[in-house]
Amino acid sequence: MSRVRVDDRHPVFKLTHQIAKKGVLGTDFDYQRTDFSFQKRFWLNFLGYADVTLETGKVWTQAPYTLLSMPNANTGYTIQRGSFSQLNSMEFVYDQYASWNIVYKMNGLFFNSLPFIRHLKLREVLSFRGVYGSLSDKNDPEKKMQDGVTPLNPEVYRFPSNGKVYRLGDTPYMEAAVGIDNIFKVLRIEYIRRLNYLDHENVSKNGFQIALGINF
């Protein structure tokens, strides 16, 4: 169950800042993080509408990888807003990032032109999302000093040895999806395609997810 804003005429901006001071209530380190998001629905007349979400954030201090930024990986079978469906948990880690999520609902633009399909009032849905981020030297547990042997940050938690944690390269991680909404008035089905970083271990290029909801 998720909450959806009714008044969608105006953009929504959200700014958060988290602060923790070392020694206060048992805190082991100083921590500061800022996140900013923009959300807006764009009406396209008879072409439908697009919901656009843009986010950016940064961890300003040195912190264990568990408190750095990671993309929200959805490994289940239901559609979760703002998540990446074909990512593994903790696949990427970064301390500064920018992401986008675009969901385009076509309101039956094509289905309504099909004689037997239009009576079902099915709706087309297209999605495109991605994230780009980087990990600074101060938060990289694998960064070495100039001798190539001595760890630069010996006090930073090591990445877990039972999994593979990657850094984003020169291109953002991206997914695209195509779906059918308003099936029996309540059901939505999507096919999701992972577009890049396909050489990582135990990744799936394709996936399907569903969601139940009532649209007014």
Side-chain angles (χ1 to χ4, degrees), residues 61-64 68 95 135-146 149-159 167:
T61 53
Q62 189 177 70
L68 299 180
D95 55 13
L135 185 64
S136 61
D137 288 348
K138 68 177 181 292
N139 283 317
D140 190 345
E142 299 177 353
K143 188 71 175 179
K144 306 296 183 183
M145 299 186 71
Q146 292 184 352
V149 177
T150 307
L152 179 64
N153 305 303
E155 69 281 5
V156 175
Y157 293 172
R158 306 295 97 182
F159 290 146
R167 297 160 182 77

Side-chain angles (χ1 to χ4, degrees), residues 11 24 57 59 72 78 87 92 104 106 131 135 151 154 163 179 210:
V24 177
V59 177
N72 184 12
T78 58
L87 270 180
F92 293 109
Y104 174 34
M106 305 173 69
V131 59
L135 185 64
I210 64 172

Side-chain angles (χ1 to χ4, degrees), residues 10-131:
H10 307 291
V12 174
F13 300 94
K14 183 179 180 180
L15 177 65
T16 62
H17 186 74
Q18 302 176 48
I19 300 177
K21 297 298 292 182
K22 185 175 181 179
V24 177
L25 299 178
T27 304
D28 295 328
F29 44 81
D30 293 321
Y31 179 74
Q32 292 200 47
R33 171 175 175 166
T34 304
D35 293 277
F36 174 77
S37 67
F38 162 87
Q39 184 178 353
K40 178 73 170 69
R41 173 169 292 182
F42 294 91
W43 292 95
L44 307 173
N45 296 321
F46 68 93
L47 297 176
Y49 61 89
D51 287 330
V52 178
T53 302
L54 305 176
E55 297 184 14
T56 185
K58 181 178 178 65
V59 177
W60 302 96
T61 53
Q62 189 177 70
Y65 71 87
T66 53
L67 291 178
L68 299 180
S69 298
M70 301 178 190
N72 184 12
N74 176 16
T75 58
Y77 296 101
T78 58
I79 299 170
Q80 301 293 331
R81 188 173 183 177
S83 65
F84 293 91
S85 304
Q86 299 308 113
L87 270 180
N88 294 325
S89 297
M90 296 178 59
E91 184 173 344
F92 293 109
V93 61
Y94 37 77
D95 55 13
Q96 51 191 349
Y97 74 96
S99 68
W100 73 88
N101 184 24
I102 303 172
V103 180
Y104 174 34
K105 295 193 174 183
M106 305 173 69
N107 282 348
L109 181 64
F110 293 115
F111 286 151
N112 287 343
S113 63
L114 303 177
F116 296 100
I117 301 297
R118 63 186 178 190
H119 299 292
L120 300 176
K121 297 183 178 181
L122 301 178
R123 299 291 182 261
E124 313 90 338
V125 181
L126 300 177
S127 301
F128 180 51
R129 50 188 171 263
V131 59

